[in-house]
Amino acid sequence: MKKTIITIALACLCCMASQAQERLFDRVNVKSPVVNGDGTVTFNLFAPKAVKVEVAGDFLESGVAQMKEGQNGVWTYTTGKLAPEMYSYTFNIDGMTGVKDPANIYVNRDIMSYTNIFIVSEQKGDKGDLYRVNEVPHGNLSKVWYNSPTLKMNRRMTIYTPPGYDKGGKFPVLYLLHGAGGDENAWSELGRAAQILDNLIALGKAKPMIVVMPNGNPNCQAAPGEWSWGMYQPSFGGGGEGPTQPAVATMEASFMDIVDYVDKNYHTLKDRAYRAVCGLSMGGGHTFGISLTYPTKFDYYGLFSAGLHLGKNFNMREPFAEQIKKDPDFEQQSARLFASKPKLYWMGMGKTDFLYQSTVDLRNYWDSKGYQYEYVETDGGHIWRNWRIYLTMFAQKLFK
C-alpha cells in the first residue's frame, strides 16, 4: 500500500512537471523580439484574452504603438527600420502598463523601472556592435567593497579591469559616475560600459584602462537590496524608503577615498596624466565639483548632460548663470583649474535635455574667460542612449 501511494505521488509530480514544461515550450514558441534582416523588429505577445495591446519603446516617436491580434491569440507589431542601437520596451495590456515581454529574458533596471532590451547592429563597429558581447578579449568586472574614512562607512563599487590586466604592467584609470537614482550597477548594466571598453580596446580605438564605477549616493553603501538596509524601494534621489539618514560628507569631499583605495589595491599609473573622471547627470555634477576641488589630480574631465551646481544652498530651479554670479569662489576655482592645464575638458549635451541651459550658462562664462574645452551636442534628451554615445566618444580621447 505504501509503495502504491509513493508511486501515485511520483506520477502526479511527473505529470505536473510535464505540464509546466509544456507551458514553457508554448511560451518559447512565441519569439520576441525578432530582429529582421532589413533592420525592422517584430514584437510578438501571446495574450489570447486581451482586448487592447500596445508596445511602448524608446524607438517609437510617439512612445507607443498599437499591436494587432493575429492567429492563436498572438499580438504582433513590426517597426520601421531601426538604426544600430540598444533599445528598451515593455507592453501595455488592457490598461496595465510596463508589462515585461515573457519571451525576452533580457531586462535592465533603471531606479524602479524594469524594461526589456534588444540590440540592433548592421556592421562591425557601429553602436549596436559596440554595445553587445563580441568574440574579443574580455576584461573582468568585480564588485569591490572599500572603506571610506570620510563617509565613515564601508561602500561598494564596480571595477572593470581590461584584458591583459593579470599579465602585469600598470594601467590608467577612468572614474565613471552615475546619475541620480542610480548606483554602482548603473554603468555596467544600463551603460554597457564593459562591452564598450572591450570592443573599443579590441578595435584599437581606446587604450586598455581600469574603469571604476562607484556608488555616488554618499548616504548609501551599495545598490538597493545589496547592503544592510535590505530590500527598500529606491528613488530618484537615491534614498527611497531605506537610507534616510543624511550623509556625513559630499561625494566630492569623499572622492579621494576611492582614488586612494584603487591606487593601493590595483596596478595603476598614479600621475594625473593617467587619471580621468566623467559622469552623467548627477555624476556630471559630481565631476564638475571634483574638477574644481582637485584641479591637479586628474587630466581628463567629462560632463555628460551634467546636473551643474556649486554645492552651496543648491537650488535646481535657480538658473546656473545666477549661481555663478552669486558664488564668490567660482571665478578663482575656474582660473585655478584651467591654469593647471588639463589635457581635456569635454562636455556632451542633448538638444532637448532639460539641463541644456545650465551647460549653455557654463560655456558662456568659460568662453568669456577664454578657457579651452570640447563640446558635443546630440539629438535627444536626458537619456541613456546619449550617455552611452558620450562614453564611447570620451573613452577614445583618453590617455593618448
Side-chain angles (χ1 to χ4, degrees):
M1 183 66 180
K2 187 174 182 180
K3 287 184 178 179
T4 302
I5 293 173
I6 293 174
T7 301
I8 293 172
L10 287 172
C12 289
L13 286 173
C14 289
C15 182
M16 292 170 62
S18 176
Q19 291 174 351
Q21 288 295 318
E22 286 177 3
R23 286 194 294 270
L24 176 62
F25 287 126
D26 286 343
R27 178 182 296 177
V28 170
N29 285 336
V30 178
K31 295 183 179 180
S32 179
V34 178
V35 180
N36 303 309
D38 60 358
T40 64
V41 177
T42 299
F43 300 89
N44 298 300
L45 177 68
F46 178 65
K49 296 183 179 181
V51 176
K52 181 179 180 181
V53 180
E54 298 172 319
V55 59
D58 58 3
F59 47 87
L60 296 165
E61 187 172 346
S62 64
V64 296
Q66 179 71 42
M67 301 179 73
K68 293 183 178 180
E69 186 175 12
Q71 294 182 347
N72 302 320
V74 176
W75 295 74
T76 299
Y77 174 79
T78 298
T79 70
K81 179 180 171 60
L82 297 181
E85 183 56 80
M86 186 172 87
Y87 297 98
S88 63
Y89 73 99
T90 55
F91 294 128
N92 302 331
I93 305 174
D94 294 341
M96 180 180 292
T97 61
V99 179
K100 265 65 72 187
D101 187 343
N104 184 359
I105 66 170
Y106 300 102
V107 296
N108 268 340
R109 177 182 67 86
D110 191 0
I111 310 177
M112 287 184 63
S113 298
Y114 280 87
T115 56
N116 291 105
I117 60 171
F118 65 95
I119 293 173
V120 174
S121 176
E122 293 179 352
Q123 61 185 359
K124 189 71 175 176
D126 66 22
K127 284 186 287 185
D129 183 63
L130 289 177
Y131 301 158
R132 66 186 181 186
V133 178
N134 289 308
E135 194 60 53
V136 299
H138 298 300
N140 290 315
L141 278 178
S142 302
K143 302 297 182 181
V144 179
W145 287 88
Y146 72 101
N147 179 259
S148 174
T150 305
L151 294 176
K152 301 183 181 354
M153 66 169 75
N154 290 317
R155 310 188 77 238
R156 197 178 76 161
M157 54 188 167
T158 301
I159 297 183
Y160 166 90
T161 50
Y165 175 82
D166 295 333
K167 295 180 180 179
K170 295 185 177 182
F171 295 84
V173 184
L174 168 63
Y175 294 87
L176 182 58
L177 312 182
H178 64 78
D183 49 60
E184 74 276 14
N185 295 335
W187 267 112
S188 61
E189 295 175 3
L190 290 155
R192 308 294 282 186
Q195 289 80 11
I196 290 171
L197 266 296
D198 278 355
N199 290 319
L200 288 179
I201 292 169
L203 291 169
K205 294 184 176 182
K207 296 286 187 182
M209 66 186 79
I210 298 167
V211 183
V212 178
M213 295 163 266
N215 189 305
N217 306 300
N219 64 333
C220 298
Q221 290 182 325
E226 301 187 40
W227 61 296
S228 60
W229 276 87
M231 297 182 181
Y232 63 86
Q233 294 293 323
S235 71
F236 180 77
E241 297 176 1
T244 55
Q245 79 281 13
V248 299
T250 64
M251 182 63 178
E252 291 86 345
S254 66
F255 195 71
M256 291 310 293
D257 292 349
I258 298 168
V259 176
D260 291 343
Y261 177 89
V262 171
D263 279 345
K264 288 177 182 177
N265 291 276
Y266 287 82
H267 308 315
T268 66
L269 294 162
K270 298 177 175 60
D271 187 88
R272 73 177 289 200
Y274 303 102
R275 286 183 187 152
V277 58
C278 65
L280 71 92
S281 193
M282 179 183 77
H286 288 154
T287 299
F288 176 66
I290 289 165
S291 73
L292 299 178
T293 307
Y294 312 105
T296 61
K297 296 294 185 181
F298 306 86
D299 240 344
Y300 301 87
Y301 302 95
L303 309 186
F304 306 167
S305 309
L308 297 173
H309 63 89
L310 295 174
K312 300 162 186 172
N313 300 317
F314 175 44
N315 180 2
M316 194 169 179
R317 295 180 180 179
E318 183 177 28
F320 191 65
E322 293 301 314
Q323 295 182 47
I324 290 174
K325 290 178 183 178
K326 293 179 180 179
D327 191 284
D329 302 318
F330 180 66
E331 181 175 4
Q332 183 178 0
Q333 289 175 318
S334 295
R336 185 178 62 169
L337 167 64
F338 286 98
S340 75
K341 300 187 183 305
K343 291 185 178 179
L344 177 65
Y345 209 107
W346 193 94
M347 291 183 276
M349 178 60 70
K351 293 177 182 177
T352 58
D353 197 302
F354 76 100
L355 295 176
Y356 184 89
Q357 187 58 45
S358 60
T359 291
V360 171
D361 293 343
L362 177 62
R363 292 177 60 215
N364 286 342
Y365 177 81
W366 279 353
D367 287 345
S368 72
K369 299 293 184 179
Y371 298 147
Q372 298 299 305
Y373 60 88
E374 291 186 18
Y375 176 68
V376 170
E377 194 166 289
T378 55
D379 291 330
H382 209 69
I383 51 176
W384 272 103
R385 190 181 304 177
N386 271 337
W387 303 326
R388 288 189 291 266
I389 292 171
Y390 299 159
L391 174 61
T392 301
M393 297 175 71
F394 187 66
Q396 294 180 69
K397 293 177 173 291
L398 302 179
F399 316 124
K400 301 292 186 177

